[in-house]
């Protein structure tokens, strides 16, 4: 009983049962919980959860958190069921089921011409987020510096800090969201252990060009700096552009953890399966963390993906699929007072609202949800100093009618 209570102090402290029957235990536990020194004292609930909760509370159309509101492929669901019925219901190997690692290796070779060895260089994880956590934790030691490019997905800095590392923030240049490579080069020194990249870039929709790759290669060449490359949106890139994966460039691949997501590719964000590609020594260290973080991922889903991903058309057609949604959303918004910024990849569209309001993006996002019934992400939440450019991020991974209804509301403002 006591052990249960200690394991769940917040639940028990909130519960009427505990207050009615165990006041003494509760007093003692309050003292225990008071003594916890937070490792992340300033951290708040992630903006993606905050905005989704606000959207639900006010019954607003949720274009904030990035997930499709249409379903995945019925064939993929049938495959999961098939593998469940065939008895694939126990632990998978820690690194992932071998058929899936083999299919991933084939895909990466097909896409980027890179060879990763399934037994030693590919790890299946609980979403790309787990790979990010494990990769950073595997290599960052106390006082190591880590370059984070803002606006930055909010899963990076806290993990660096948990490991005693020091985030060194650089900002993409507004409004193009390009990297200033001189500034980047100046930020790197002998203490720089890691650079975290995220392309196609969430939230801005920026992508890396060949010139960017040339700058990056030339700068890191003289260093021992490693790269964590979050490529969750690798297949969502528009207007005929090519995704410059770190895997495509051997001199960068040799120092990179390349992290990808099945959820973004197959409309299954809730299944939480992703993977990490890295040379053997890096994968070995990452797996030491992964084996005690989750040990292994959902077996029947891995088996189903292994069979399903043989069909290359689905991921090769993803750019066209989402480009059509981007263009539909943009044309629906043409008569609004929002101004679109370029969206070259991902399923997010940045819209400038400076003609409508001078409010901070946080205040405007809140009011948009509560008063106008559309939720979006305020990017200031993705800057350590809350930089506010009067833009909001809208997710267009939505059904036609959802985008139409949202645009109708937005055009009225
Ligand atoms: N990656 C998604 C986004 O950017 C969801 C993030 C989350 O909910 N943690 O919206």
């Amino acid at each position: 009983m006591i052990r249960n209570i200690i394991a769940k102090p917040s639940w028990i402290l909130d519960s009427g049962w505990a207050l009615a029957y165990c006041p003494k235990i509760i007093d003692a536990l309050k003292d225990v919980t008071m003594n916890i020194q937070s490792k992340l004292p300033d951290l708040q609930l992630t903006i993606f959860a905050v905005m989704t909760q606000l959207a639900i509370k006010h019954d607003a159309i949720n274009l904030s958190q990035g997930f499709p509101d249409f379903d995945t492929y019925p064939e993929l669901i049938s495959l999961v069921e098939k593998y469940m019925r065939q008895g694939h219901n126990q632990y998978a190997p820690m690194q992932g089921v071998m058929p899936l690692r083999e299919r991933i290796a084939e895909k990466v070779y097909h896409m980027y011409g890179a060879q990763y060895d399934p037994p030693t260089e590919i790890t299946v994880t609980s979403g790309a987020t787990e790979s990010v956590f494990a990769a950073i934790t595997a290599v960052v030691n106390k006082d190591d510096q880590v370059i984070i490019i803002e606006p930055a997905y909010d899963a990076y800095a806290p993990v660096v800090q948990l490991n005693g590392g020091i985030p060194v923030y650089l900002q993409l240049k507004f409004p193009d969201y390009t990297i200033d490579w001189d500034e980047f080069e100046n930020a790197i020194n002998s203490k720089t252990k890691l650079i975290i990249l995220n392309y196609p870039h969430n939230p801005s929709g920026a992508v890396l060009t060949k010139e960017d790759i040339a700058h990056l290669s030339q700068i890191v060449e003289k260093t021992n700096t490693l790269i964590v490359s979050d490529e969750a949106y690798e297949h969502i890139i528009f207007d005929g552009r090519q995704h410059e994966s770190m895997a495509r460039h051997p001199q960068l691949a040799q120092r990179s953890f390349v992290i990808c997501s099945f959820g973004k590719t197959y409309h299954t964000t809730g299944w939480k399966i992703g993977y990490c590609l890295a040379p053997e020594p890096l994968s070995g260290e990452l797996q030491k963390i992964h084996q005690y973080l989750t040990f292994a991922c959902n077996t029947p889903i891995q088996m189903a993906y292994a069979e399903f991903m043989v069909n290359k058309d689905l991921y090769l057609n993803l750019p066209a699929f989402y480009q059509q949604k981007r263009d539909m959303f943009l044309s629906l918004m043409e008569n609004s007072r929002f101004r679109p910024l370029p969206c070259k990849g991902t399923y997010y569209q940045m819209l400038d609202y400076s003609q409508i309001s001078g409010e901070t993006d946080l205040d405007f996002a809140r009011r948009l949800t509560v008063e106008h019934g559309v939720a979006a992400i305020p990017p200031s939440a993705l800057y350590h100093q809350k930089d506010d450019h009067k833009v909001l991020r809208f997710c267009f991974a939505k059904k036609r009618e959802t985008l139409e209804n949202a645009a109708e509301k937005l055009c009225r403002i």
Side-chain angles (χ1 to χ4, degrees):
M1 166 67 80
I2 292 288
R3 210 185 300 138
N4 278 345
I5 290 172
I6 289 173
K8 296 178 179 171
S10 63
W11 170 78
I12 207 81
L13 286 175
D14 290 344
S15 101
W17 171 85
L19 290 174
Y21 296 105
C22 309
K24 287 221 171 89
I25 294 177
I26 295 311
D27 280 349
L29 279 171
K30 273 185 185 152
D31 289 344
V32 172
T33 52
M34 293 298 210
N35 284 335
I36 292 174
Q37 205 186 334
S38 173
K39 290 192 171 182
L40 298 166
D42 302 324
L43 202 72
Q44 291 169 359
L45 183 63
T46 165
I47 191 69
F48 305 107
V50 169
M51 292 313 302
T52 284
Q53 284 175 13
L54 197 68
I56 293 170
K57 185 169 168 202
H58 295 276
D59 202 18
I61 299 174
N62 189 4
L63 305 190
S64 64
Q65 196 180 23
F67 61 89
D69 73 342
F70 43 88
D71 215 347
T72 183
Y73 305 89
E75 304 89 318
L76 181 55
I77 293 177
S78 301
L79 285 174
V80 175
E81 189 192 350
K82 176 179 99 174
Y83 284 107
M84 284 180 165
R85 293 204 186 279
Q86 283 182 3
H88 292 270
N89 296 308
Q90 310 309 329
Y91 295 124
M94 181 271 283
Q95 307 91 325
V97 301
M98 192 48 95
L100 182 57
R101 283 184 279 155
E102 284 168 350
R103 295 300 85 71
I104 291 170
E106 286 162 15
K107 177 185 115 164
V108 173
Y109 182 68
H110 171 74
M111 293 288 300
Y112 307 124
Q115 279 178 311
Y116 286 90
D117 178 40
T120 58
E121 297 184 316
I122 299 176
T123 315
V124 180
T125 59
S126 293
T129 304
E130 192 210 334
S131 280
V132 167
F133 187 100
I136 295 172
T137 302
V139 299
V140 171
N141 292 298
K142 190 166 178 318
D143 295 333
D144 284 343
Q145 294 186 8
V146 178
I147 306 274
I148 296 182
I149 299 175
E150 294 184 322
Y153 186 54
D154 61 357
Y156 310 143
V159 187
V160 170
Q161 284 157 342
L162 276 177
N163 286 290
I166 301 166
V168 174
Y169 296 102
L170 293 177
Q171 282 77 39
L172 293 174
K173 298 297 146 220
F174 187 81
D176 300 328
Y177 293 102
T178 46
I179 296 176
D180 178 333
W181 288 106
D182 289 333
E183 206 180 289
F184 186 95
E185 184 161 21
N186 290 336
I188 293 188
N189 60 50
S190 58
K191 289 193 170 159
T192 311
K193 176 59 73 68
L194 188 65
I195 296 162
I196 302 181
L197 298 175
N198 169 215
Y199 285 96
H201 183 253
N202 176 10
S204 74
V207 300
L208 286 177
T209 62
K210 287 216 173 347
E211 294 71 52
D212 289 320
I213 293 292
H215 284 297
L216 177 65
S217 306
Q218 180 250 317
I219 293 168
V220 298
E221 199 177 48
K222 308 160 258 182
T223 71
N224 290 323
T225 304
L226 299 169
I227 296 172
V228 162
S229 185
D230 174 355
E231 303 184 14
Y233 301 91
E234 64 176 326
H235 297 299
I236 311 181
I237 183 154
F238 305 132
D239 308 310
R241 291 183 179 85
Q242 166 181 289
H243 171 52
E244 296 298 342
S245 173
M246 295 301 119
R248 206 186 270 288
H249 305 281
Q251 73 284 20
L252 293 171
Q254 51 143 356
R255 58 175 81 229
S256 294
F257 296 90
V258 177
I259 296 173
C260 301
S261 156
F262 284 107
K264 307 294 186 298
T265 304
Y266 295 113
H267 321 314
T268 47
T269 61
W271 292 8
K272 295 297 296 175
I273 306 277
Y275 57 92
C276 180
L277 313 165
E280 184 171 350
L282 296 182
S283 284
E285 291 305 311
L286 175 129
Q287 287 171 5
K288 289 182 188 172
I289 312 293
H290 165 70
Q291 72 173 337
Y292 293 120
L293 202 49
T294 56
F295 179 64
C297 302
N298 186 304
T299 312
I301 291 180
Q302 290 190 64
M303 295 299 294
Y305 278 141
E307 188 171 333
F308 198 63
M309 70 186 289
V310 172
N311 180 358
K312 296 191 182 70
D313 290 344
L314 294 179
Y315 58 82
L316 295 178
N317 287 335
L318 216 55
F321 176 79
Y322 275 120
Q323 185 168 322
Q324 191 263 334
K325 291 203 177 284
R326 178 200 66 177
D327 293 346
M328 187 209 311
F329 184 52
L330 286 176
S331 84
L332 289 166
M333 291 297 292
E334 226 159 45
N335 294 326
S336 77
R337 289 196 289 156
F338 290 89
R339 277 188 298 116
L341 274 60
C343 166
K344 299 173 181 171
T346 75
Y347 47 49
Y348 305 114
Q349 175 66 55
M350 295 284 242
L351 296 177
D352 175 320
Y353 64 86
S354 59
Q355 289 181 11
I356 300 172
S357 167
E359 287 162 284
T360 65
D361 65 358
L362 201 60
D363 285 345
F364 187 62
R366 207 174 282 136
R367 201 162 64 77
L368 199 64
T369 311
V370 176
E371 291 177 17
H372 299 281
V374 181
I377 293 294
S380 66
L382 308 176
Y383 287 90
H384 75 297
Q385 288 186 322
K386 310 291 167 222
D387 299 17
D388 175 17
H389 297 290
K390 313 279 180 241
V391 293
L392 294 180
R393 188 200 82 171
F394 294 80
C395 173
F396 56 79
K398 304 292 166 188
K399 295 179 209 153
R400 167 181 275 277
E401 67 256 35
T402 309
L403 295 176
E404 281 172 353
N405 292 339
E408 195 193 313
K409 290 174 189 289
L410 294 171
C411 285
R412 271 194 246 127
I413 302 170

